[in-house]
Amino acid sequence: MMNDKDELKNSSKAFGYIGEYAGVSRFCAVVNKIFKEKETDAMMFPMNIREDDLYFTISNMKKSKLDGVVISNEYVTDVVDILDEASSMVKRSGMCDIIFKEGESLRGDIFSTRVLTEHLKDIFVSKVAIIGTSHHAKAFSFLSCGFNVSYFNENLEELMEFTQEVDLSDADINRIAKDMSLDLSSFDAVLDFSNMTSLGMIEKLPKFNFDMKNDKEFSILKQRANELNAEYISSDDIIDKLCARAYMVITK
């Protein structure tokens, strides 16, 4: 258990939270609160890291006192090539949001996508529209059992290749483009995992709209949701659930 001054002992586990704006995130505070409540001898520290310093920081974990790090959303694709070992989800999706040091090896995994799927089930979401074919879309697709998913993308050929990569047969695929008029209100939730610069073609959004970006990242979905008076949910809006899952993964 941490002492009253929140100081690390020699036996304590140390974890980092790496992001461009890690210091202003509630992530470490929430995780450390869980550590205290559970009397876990561990602590998490915010690590403000610029993109230029990311490779050096992760690589040097092997010789640091850190036992692992959680990766903020803006860097989840940038750390994959630094890993020595990776889960099948990391290998197939191309993203990683948690890294453990094991000896002098770094092992990567994904936890945030599981939080998203569990949250969608908690709010009784069944019918989901996914926009884009990015790493988040791949990771979600591997865990999408139980959801009725439709896929949207600007390039249908790219979308076909995506469905083959994630082993989807008879997937409901749809084109989305600037010259269209799109009503997505029949879905329970929209997940924007695209790199689109405008979602102006969407005239109606459903009740729940996610993209797993934090509040410091620009979100085109948030912009369109505000324009349509629809609810937008960032990763910071479900941070308590993300931290609870991170604690479980760290201490298992």
Side-chain angles (χ1 to χ4, degrees):
M1 180 179 179
M2 300 300 298
N3 58 40
D4 291 336
K5 294 182 181 180
D6 291 336
E7 295 173 343
L8 284 175
K9 299 178 291 186
N10 289 334
S11 61
S12 303
K13 297 289 186 179
F15 298 90
Y17 175 66
I18 289 180
E20 187 175 4
Y21 303 101
V24 298
S25 171
R26 291 176 53 236
F27 198 95
C28 290
V30 176
V31 171
N32 286 328
K33 182 181 178 183
I34 299 172
F35 283 151
K36 270 194 168 180
E37 289 173 348
K38 302 289 188 181
E39 299 187 351
T40 303
D41 187 14
M43 199 169 196
M44 181 169 284
F45 303 89
M47 300 172 65
N48 289 342
I49 305 297
R50 298 176 304 177
E51 185 176 358
D52 291 346
D53 298 324
L54 185 64
Y55 184 90
F56 176 83
T57 302
I58 300 296
S59 298
N60 278 274
M61 268 183 62
K62 296 178 181 181
K63 299 186 182 299
S64 75
K65 294 183 179 180
L66 287 174
D67 295 282
V69 291
V70 172
I71 307 297
S72 184
N73 184 69
E74 65 268 27
Y75 292 149
V76 293
T77 61
D78 298 319
V79 300
V80 175
D81 292 338
I82 313 174
L83 302 172
D84 298 298
E85 299 178 35
S87 69
S88 60
M89 280 274 288
V90 170
K91 292 176 181 177
R92 297 187 69 187
S93 69
M95 65 174 277
C96 168
D97 56 26
I98 191 164
I99 301 173
F100 297 96
K101 183 177 72 175
E102 298 175 344
E104 288 198 5
S105 292
L106 301 179
R107 176 177 61 84
D109 208 340
I110 298 172
F111 76 97
S112 61
T113 310
R114 297 185 189 280
V115 176
L116 175 60
T117 59
E118 290 168 3
H119 181 69
L120 292 176
K121 291 174 182 177
D122 287 344
I123 58 177
F124 304 106
V125 164
S126 175
K127 192 176 181 184
V128 178
I130 292 182
I131 304 173
T133 60
S134 71
H135 49 277
H136 274 301
K138 290 178 182 177
F140 183 87
S141 295
F142 296 134
L143 299 172
S144 62
C145 181
F147 297 103
N148 180 5
V149 183
S150 296
Y151 294 88
F152 294 80
N153 197 52
E154 291 179 287
N155 186 319
L156 283 181
E157 183 177 344
E158 183 180 88
L159 190 53
M160 289 291 292
E161 292 176 359
F162 168 87
T163 59
Q164 293 174 1
E165 287 178 18
V166 296
D167 298 324
L168 292 173
S169 58
D170 301 320
D172 179 21
I173 62 173
N174 306 271
R175 183 170 173 265
I176 183 171
K178 293 180 180 179
D179 58 353
M180 299 177 66
S181 176
L182 202 58
D183 181 350
L184 298 180
S185 61
S186 63
F187 292 91
D188 299 321
V190 163
L191 311 181
D192 178 27
F193 297 145
S194 72
N195 296 313
M196 296 185 69
T197 57
S198 172
L199 293 176
M201 74 292 293
I202 300 177
E203 294 190 343
K204 291 184 180 181
L205 284 165
K207 184 176 181 180
F208 303 111
N209 303 282
F210 301 79
D211 58 14
M212 294 305 286
K213 292 182 178 179
N214 60 57
D215 289 343
K216 287 293 184 179
E217 294 179 275
F218 174 72
S219 168
I220 195 67
L221 179 63
K222 180 179 182 179
Q223 178 177 299
R224 191 57 180 150
N226 288 339
E227 292 167 352
L228 296 175
N229 294 315
E231 183 177 358
Y232 165 77
I233 300 136
S234 71
S235 62
D236 287 314
D237 293 321
I238 57 171
I239 198 166
D240 289 339
K241 291 185 176 182
L242 287 166
C243 291
R245 169 65 72 166
Y247 172 82
M248 288 176 59
V249 174
I250 286 170
T251 58
K252 71 177 182 180

